Amino acid sequence: MAVSPIKPEELKWKCPSKALDFKTTADIKPTGEIVGQERAIKAIKLGLEIHSIGYNMFVTGVSGTGRETTIKKILESIDTTTDELRDIMYVRNMEDPRNPIALTFPAGDGARFVAAVEECIQLLKSNIPAVLQSEKAEMENRAIRASYQDRKKALMDTVKKEAAEAGFSIVNVPAAPGEFRPDVLPMINDETVTFDTLEEMKGEGKLTQKELKKYTKLHEELFKKLTNAFRKTRDMEIEIQIKLEKMFRRLVKPTISGIVSILKEIGDDKADKWADSIVEIILENLQEFAESSESKDPYVLFTPNLILDNSGKTKRPVVIEEFPDSISLFGNIDRVVVEGKPYSDHTMIRPGAIHKADEGYLIMNALDLVRVPELWLRLIQTLRNQTTVIRSHDPMGLYPVHLHPEPIDTNAKIVLIGSSKLYYLLASYESEFGLLFRIRAAFDFTMESTVGNIRDFANVIAGIIKAEDLLPMDTGAVAAVVEESIRLAGLQDRLSLEFNRVSDYLRQASYFARQRKDSIVTVDHVREAIQEKIHRLNLGETYATRRIIDDTIMVDTQGEKVGQVNGLAVYQGVDYSFGLPARISTRVSAGRKGLINVERESDMSGTTHTKGMLIIAGFIQGKFAREYPLSLSASVVFEQSYGGVDGDSASSTELYVLLSALSEIPIRQDLAVTGSVNQFGEIQAIGGVNEKVEGFFRVCSGKGLTGTQGVMIPKSNMKDLQLRDNVIDAVREGRFHIYPIEFIEDGAELLMGTKAGELMSDGTYPADTIYGKVDCRLRQMAATLREFSYHD
């Protein structure tokens, strides 16, 4: 059956005029609604409103489909009011300052607690000295000191009396410049005499040796008693001091406890316990607190560090962390270096985004996290343990800080945004991922091209134009953008939702309109934007096409040849893809090697391409070698291909060239072929159909259009066609043709100008058909191989 070329009007989807019921986009009132993402919206709403453990969310989709915007809008639409917000603070651990204590309060009470601490400090500073200097304290002080004064005097009087009776006196003798010590010296003629003087008197004969020894022995005994008396006096002073301290503590404790009790009206049991520790630390260091000053203020120990203050807030927080790292996400401990040594305390603890999002939502890009393995590991640990730990960030280990704040329970819902590929990788290799991220919201990148959806699409366009102060578009311009969106989607019945790519055309078309002093963007401006973008990106395409046109890369666009056909390939770049023809050839002979995939043998073939070659072998075996062994050696190659070859879109092309080589019927070189084939000869859809058609058209145009040239595509790809206007114009003028192929026989007949042939009752095909000639050749090969095997 002859294949008719596709009509020009079927080569491109046209935007229906009834879908655009406005003159310009200025007439549209943007609604700001999210379009085409009903599935994702339901998933996101479910994930955001369930606050159970593990209901964190991973949002997948192509960049530019509005994932982050959608999350924000849903959060704005749902009621995030809650009474579960809390304040978080760190306070000094009085028992172990290296482990600061974390206190939590209902929202607003944290600030009240801080104010209460400050009030307590001021009251303590004024009341403690007042109590210690009160009349009662002074009276008890005098009483305690008086009770010891008589004992001290009696003790010293006893020593003085014994010294006097022995002829000695207690005196102060120089010990060092400006210092004196007590001693006992003998009295001679009512004057104290040093032992140096006694030695001189002995030398002068005024004192005998016996008398000197007597004085020396008495001195030792009396000095020992004097020393003992002073030791007892010193012990009495210590007893006095202890009694005074106990007295002062007893007098001031009710005052301190009463003042600190203000704090107990706000916090929980843990805060009450910390308040009690304030009382104990003041009583243990009463003198320091009583003598506090601006230069030496021990009360700074009680300064709370309120790291999260939700005062006056009733909505769950939404935190978007665009640059996550260890500090911004999990917090940090600051430090100062004093004399080369680092110092930190509880007031230097800083919160991270995960603390700021407490009881709310923390939104991040997943790729930013997995790029830093340590960051991803720490997030997983935090979610698994439902606690977060603040550490000092010192990757070089230059100034280690030995401060370990108490971990805080984590109540933030994590929302990660990433690609589907990243989601599958994490789900496959992170064992806890599925338990910690129970909700996946998948954003679609296309939606149906219904009239209603087109109107929604136009509403989004109007919103972008208004938000970015672009020139308004008329209906023709919007229609052109919608049609380009169809091409981006790759299907005539689907609109692309990659609005980051669509919006580029809006901005650039507006730019070109302003350049021409136009006030409204028209279809011409949109077309110019599209063409200029192509021109910016198609340098590689231009060079590659030029090499084919000047026959550096050999591709025929006229004539007929046996065992040679024009295949089509797509070259995918980062931001631009294009199609080009490639010569595929084959040589056949009798043998047992079957189909030889030259690309595979040279390690240039991908697995899908290799699979396509095996399918061709299956087709040949099922179609012909049912009554005789397949005795064939055939090499199939992409000529002048210096990169890898993958995909099965050329499998039908390779089958055509194999049939040509076996039947020795030439193939038209003015046609290029694309399409996958199965073992039953059905032509299957492929990708990049628009780029492939345009690629061959570009080469034919460069070499000269003859009016017979064209491309054979799978019939199932007709719905994907969204060709450029220059190709459609050439088709309309009869200078280029596009043929839809459903079965391998249709394509073979078009390429070779001969009937494919149908199987007859005797198991053979008509001799003058393609299949008949192929069958005959294969039978000859089998016989030849059998004959040689017999002689061997």
Side-chain angles (χ1 to χ4, degrees), residues 64-84:
T65 51
R67 294 168 297 179
E68 185 176 318
T69 302
T70 300
I71 295 169
K72 291 179 182 177
K73 287 185 177 180
I74 293 176
L75 284 170
E76 291 171 359
S77 68
I78 64 177
D79 184 10
T80 58
T81 304
T82 180
D83 57 1
E84 297 177 356

Side-chain angles (χ1 to χ4, degrees), residues 528-739:
E528 184 176 6
I530 293 171
Q531 289 303 317
E532 285 297 320
K533 182 175 182 180
I534 293 173
H535 183 70
R536 287 195 304 274
L537 302 176
N538 72 346
L539 182 62
E541 175 188 65
T542 302
Y543 275 108
T545 304
R546 186 182 303 159
R547 294 182 68 193
I548 295 176
I549 293 172
D550 65 15
D551 293 327
T552 302
I553 302 296
M554 293 186 289
V555 173
D556 294 329
T557 58
Q558 298 182 50
E560 297 178 339
K561 287 191 178 179
V562 174
Q564 177 180 305
V565 70
N566 292 324
L568 291 168
V570 172
Y571 296 84
Q572 185 72 52
V574 175
D575 49 12
Y576 184 73
S577 59
F578 60 93
L580 282 177
R583 176 181 290 179
I584 300 175
S585 63
T586 186
R587 300 300 295 270
V588 298
S589 66
R592 293 193 176 92
K593 293 184 178 179
L595 290 180
I596 301 172
N597 180 0
V598 175
E599 271 72 30
R600 184 184 65 184
E601 297 300 319
S602 57
D603 292 329
M604 295 173 65
S605 174
T607 55
T608 309
H609 180 252
T610 301
K611 175 187 174 184
M613 294 296 292
L614 296 175
I615 289 172
I616 294 172
F619 174 85
I620 295 294
Q621 289 170 346
K623 202 75 174 178
F624 303 105
R626 291 176 296 176
E627 298 177 353
Y628 54 86
L630 187 62
S631 306
L632 167 70
S633 290
S635 61
V636 181
V637 63
F638 274 74
E639 302 288 0
Q640 294 182 283
S641 171
Y642 306 109
V645 176
D646 201 5
D648 64 349
S649 65
S651 58
S652 68
T653 315
E654 292 163 327
L655 179 52
Y656 291 134
V657 76
L658 181 61
L659 293 174
S660 171
L662 288 170
S663 66
E664 297 185 342
I665 300 175
I667 288 178
R668 291 173 57 181
Q669 300 301 298
D670 56 357
L671 294 178
V673 183
T674 184
S676 169
V677 67
N678 62 27
Q679 293 188 111
F680 300 100
E682 297 171 318
I683 304 301
Q684 303 168 143
I686 45 82
V689 64
N690 293 303
E691 289 82 359
K692 290 176 178 179
V693 171
E694 291 164 358
F696 191 62
F697 175 79
R698 194 166 49 253
V699 169
C700 291
S701 297
K703 289 194 170 190
L705 289 172
T706 63
T708 63
Q709 294 148 332
V711 175
M712 292 164 46
I713 68 169
K715 187 176 182 179
S716 52
N717 276 120
M718 285 180 63
K719 64 181 181 301
D720 305 332
L721 290 172
Q722 192 71 5
L723 296 171
R724 297 298 181 196
D725 290 340
N726 60 337
V727 179
I728 297 173
D729 291 341
V731 171
R732 185 176 291 108
E733 295 166 4
R735 297 183 295 121
F736 198 74
H737 313 277
I738 302 170
Y739 301 94

Side-chain angles (χ1 to χ4, degrees), residues 119-307:
E119 181 184 356
C120 288
I121 289 173
Q122 297 306 318
L123 290 173
L124 291 169
K125 283 182 176 181
S126 60
N127 280 271
I128 289 177
V131 172
L132 297 181
Q133 297 167 14
S134 65
E135 184 177 349
K136 183 177 182 180
E138 188 62 29
M139 289 176 60
E140 291 197 26
N141 184 358
R142 287 197 299 269
I144 291 172
R145 291 185 180 279
S147 67
Y148 280 89
Q149 193 63 34
D150 292 341
R151 291 171 57 191
K152 288 166 62 178
K153 185 175 182 304
L155 184 63
M156 294 304 297
D157 286 346
T158 300
V159 176
K160 287 180 180 180
K161 182 179 178 182
E162 290 183 11
E165 289 175 353
F168 280 75
S169 175
I170 298 175
V171 296
N172 288 321
V173 298
E179 296 182 4
F180 296 88
R181 65 176 177 81
D183 201 353
V184 284
L185 296 178
M187 296 285 294
I188 298 177
N189 298 325
D190 295 330
E191 292 184 0
T192 56
V193 180
T194 65
F195 278 89
D196 291 337
T197 303
L198 291 177
E199 288 287 344
E200 292 175 359
M201 291 174 67
K202 176 192 169 191
E204 295 173 356
K206 297 179 180 180
L207 191 69
T208 65
Q209 179 67 29
K210 184 177 180 181
E211 290 173 325
L212 180 61
K213 286 183 178 181
K214 175 184 175 183
Y215 279 123
T216 302
K217 183 179 181 181
L218 286 171
H219 174 266
E220 291 177 354
E221 293 174 354
L222 290 171
F223 188 77
K224 186 180 294 184
K225 291 180 180 180
L226 177 64
T227 302
N228 186 47
F230 270 103
R231 184 171 60 252
K232 289 182 179 180
T233 302
R234 188 167 56 251
D235 290 343
M236 288 182 192
E237 287 292 341
I238 293 172
E239 289 180 21
I240 291 171
Q241 192 61 38
I242 291 172
K243 285 191 175 183
L244 287 175
E245 287 179 0
K246 288 183 178 179
M247 181 268 295
F248 286 137
R249 289 175 186 169
R250 174 174 49 81
L251 292 178
V252 82
K253 185 175 182 179
T255 299
I256 297 173
S257 298
I259 293 173
V260 172
S261 66
I262 298 172
L263 302 180
K264 296 186 177 183
E265 297 175 0
I266 303 174
D268 56 13
D269 292 343
K270 190 175 182 182
D272 292 350
K273 185 177 179 181
W274 182 75
D276 290 337
S277 72
I278 291 179
V279 177
E280 295 301 321
I281 202 73
I282 293 176
L283 293 175
E284 289 173 5
N285 303 274
L286 188 56
Q287 185 174 355
E288 291 182 26
F289 284 93
E291 297 173 355
S292 68
S293 63
E294 289 186 7
S295 61
K296 190 177 181 181
D297 187 2
Y299 287 99
V300 297
L301 300 178
F302 307 145
T303 303
N305 180 8
L306 185 61
I307 67 170

Side-chain angles (χ1 to χ4, degrees), residues 75-117:
L75 284 170
E76 291 171 359
S77 68
I78 64 177
D79 184 10
T80 58
T81 304
T82 180
D83 57 1
E84 297 177 356
L85 295 182
R86 60 179 182 167
D87 298 336
I88 301 174
M89 75 170 59
Y90 275 103
V91 293
R92 181 183 179 86
N93 186 335
M94 303 303 175
E95 296 180 358
D96 187 357
R98 295 174 301 176
N99 298 297
I101 297 170
L103 300 179
T104 60
F105 303 85
D109 283 357
R112 287 180 55 213
F113 192 84
V114 171
V117 169

